[in-house]
Amino acid sequence: MSNINASHSGSFKIGGDIAINRLGFGAMRVTGPGVWGEPKDRDSALATLKRLPELGVNFIDTADSYGPETSENLLREALHPYKGLLIATKGGLVRGGPEIWTPVGRPEYLRQAVLLSLRRLKIQRIDLWQLHRVDPKLPREEQFGVIKDMQKEGLIRHVGLSEVSVKDIEAAQKFFTVATVQNRYNLIDRTSEDVLNHCTKHTIGFIPWFPLAAGDLARPGSVLDSVARKIGATPSQVALAWVLKRSPVMLPIPGTGKVQHLEENVAAASITLSDEDFSALDEAGRKASSKAA
């Protein structure tokens, strides 16, 4: 698999000035079960991270809450000083245990989150920092305001948002330029379709988390299965290729803690779906999404 490379996915400029390959990597799965603590196989996690630049993956998404702290620490150990890499991190969620996530958007906490991420990653500025969740207990303007201040101070270069609506994006734009939006989106989950369309229109990077989900569409005999068999790929690779083709601002970040799985995901960057196959998958995905709703 020496010829696979994320550059085959095309490029995008974060904030208009940081060029990355569109197929990135999500560093959530290099932690322990429930995104809690150290990974079961630390050597495998580190090997996976070290393999990223070799495969042309130069956009890596993490968060202070992954572990917590574990993902950022492993990234520093494996990849610092991140030559040619964009390490994007997030803050705004605290952890009470495995799979427990609580939004905290107090200005002083968000500032602390940025400062500690800088320390863990061993950098002077975070080139893309994302608000992991807008805390519903506080006015969003308070949260956007402190982010604006930290950007002015040079702690943050570009700002992104996660799990937001179009109205949230428009409200945030009054404080800073929204460079990216990270919402759940895949072949069968289209709840953020309006957000994706907004991002496409305004050239805002859209980072779909959980991009490989295919549900029943991956069953034998389905459209997804048929397309995969026809082109000699796995259903997950086809689902990822579909996401990439959906919009030029799409920046999928499939994650894993295993080198082999990473290589399989990056190989999807070389898959070019025909318009006919894309449309067939799109229609099947929309039907599945409407049934789930």
Side-chain angles (χ1 to χ4, degrees):
M1 305 183 75
S2 59
N3 63 335
I4 65 173
N5 197 286
S7 63
H8 298 157
S9 64
S11 63
F12 181 83
K13 288 187 176 180
I14 300 288
D17 62 7
I18 305 179
I20 61 164
N21 294 325
R22 289 175 58 211
L23 181 57
F25 178 80
M28 183 172 72
R29 296 301 175 190
V30 296
T31 61
V35 199
W36 185 259
E38 291 287 320
K40 286 185 176 181
D41 190 338
R42 199 171 191 275
D43 289 341
S44 177
L46 287 171
T48 301
L49 295 176
K50 291 177 181 179
R51 185 78 171 111
L52 292 170
E54 298 171 350
L55 297 174
V57 178
N58 55 13
F59 175 51
I60 302 169
D61 175 86
T62 186
D64 63 352
S65 57
Y66 296 165
E69 303 182 7
T70 307
S71 178
E72 289 183 332
N73 287 332
L74 288 172
L75 281 166
R76 182 192 67 247
E77 181 177 343
L79 297 171
H80 188 271
Y82 320 115
K83 185 177 181 180
L85 304 176
L86 170 57
I87 308 297
T89 193
K90 300 184 289 293
L93 287 178
V94 297
R95 305 296 305 283
E99 298 296 359
I100 298 174
W101 311 79
T102 305
V104 175
R106 296 192 308 275
E108 66 272 20
Y109 178 76
L110 296 182
R111 178 176 290 275
Q112 174 182 284
V114 167
L115 294 175
L116 291 178
S117 285
L118 286 167
R119 180 187 298 178
R120 280 189 293 272
L121 292 169
K122 204 174 178 180
I123 53 178
Q124 299 300 312
R125 179 184 65 185
I126 298 171
D127 283 337
L128 175 61
W129 187 84
Q130 304 154 91
L131 180 61
H132 212 156
R133 292 292 187 275
V134 176
D135 188 344
K137 301 185 299 296
L138 295 168
R140 61 189 177 188
E141 290 75 16
E142 288 186 17
Q143 299 165 69
F144 297 158
V146 69
I147 296 170
K148 175 184 177 180
D149 292 341
M150 290 189 288
Q151 188 178 42
K152 283 186 174 181
E153 294 165 26
L155 301 175
I156 298 168
R157 181 172 178 178
H158 294 302
V159 181
L161 303 172
S162 181
E163 282 305 310
V164 290
S165 65
V166 171
K167 289 185 177 181
D168 289 328
I169 298 170
E170 292 174 338
Q173 293 278 23
K174 298 175 182 178
F175 293 83
F176 46 77
T177 298
V178 177
T180 60
V181 170
Q182 184 169 162
N183 280 18
R184 178 168 169 149
Y185 186 90
N186 51 58
L187 189 56
I188 59 171
D189 187 340
R190 309 295 186 82
T191 52
S192 288
E193 201 81 58
D194 61 331
V195 177
L196 172 58
N197 290 335
H198 179 85
C199 289
T200 302
K201 180 180 179 181
H202 297 282
T203 320
I204 298 170
F206 185 91
I207 306 169
W209 61 274
F210 206 30
L212 299 181
D216 288 343
L217 286 190
R219 71 183 186 279
S222 68
V223 174
L224 178 58
D225 179 62
S226 298
V227 171
R229 288 175 181 274
K230 180 175 69 175
I231 65 177
T234 68
S236 291
Q237 288 173 326
V238 173
L240 188 51
W242 180 89
V243 167
L244 281 166
K245 189 177 175 70
R246 171 63 182 80
S247 170
V249 305
M250 194 78 83
L251 310 172
I253 50 167
T256 179
K258 299 182 182 300
V259 171
Q260 182 180 353
H261 190 201
L262 168 65
E263 292 173 343
E264 290 174 357
N265 287 340
V266 177
S270 300
I271 297 174
T272 301
L273 294 175
S274 68
D275 291 342
E276 181 182 3
D277 287 341
F278 175 85
S279 296
L281 289 165
D282 185 61
E283 182 180 357
R286 288 182 184 278
K287 288 180 179 178
S289 180
S290 62
K291 286 182 181 179

